[in-house]
Amino acid sequence: EVVDALVKAGFKREDWWIHVDGALNGLILPFIAEDCDAKRITFKKPLDSVSVSGHKFLGAPLPCGVVVTRKASMETYCRAMNA
């Protein structure tokens, strides 16, 4: 797993960001059966942000995108930009 490799290499949690580009299946994967947990998109995993293309399933006009980010992750990122 990528997270294990980062930790083993000595990186602290605040040193990396995991983004899921759920362009096609991002609106479906959070709701799949629990026995498919490896494919499930959830913030119970060490994810920082997820994006989906709303126009692919919601009938919204182009462009329509949604990004969901952990508040704590965004605060960390903003502090780093302002330093």
Side-chain angles (χ1 to χ4, degrees):
E1 185 175 299
V2 172
V3 174
D4 293 335
L6 290 168
V7 172
K8 187 176 180 180
F11 290 98
K12 293 180 251 169
R13 177 60 181 100
E14 58 270 10
D15 293 335
W16 43 272
W17 184 285
I18 296 180
H19 172 76
V20 174
D21 182 357
L24 182 59
N25 292 321
L27 294 175
I28 297 170
L29 289 177
F31 306 104
I32 62 174
E34 289 187 26
D35 60 345
C36 295
D37 195 54
K39 296 179 182 178
R40 185 182 294 269
I41 296 173
T42 173
F43 282 112
K44 292 178 183 176
K45 296 177 181 179
L47 306 176
D48 294 290
S49 59
V50 177
S51 65
V52 296
S53 300
H55 63 272
K56 293 180 180 173
F57 291 102
L58 301 176
L62 288 171
C64 175
V66 178
V67 177
V68 179
T69 305
R70 289 179 188 265
K71 181 179 178 187
S73 298
M74 186 53 68
E75 289 171 347
T76 300
Y77 180 72
C78 289
R79 279 194 301 275
M81 287 184 62
N82 290 324

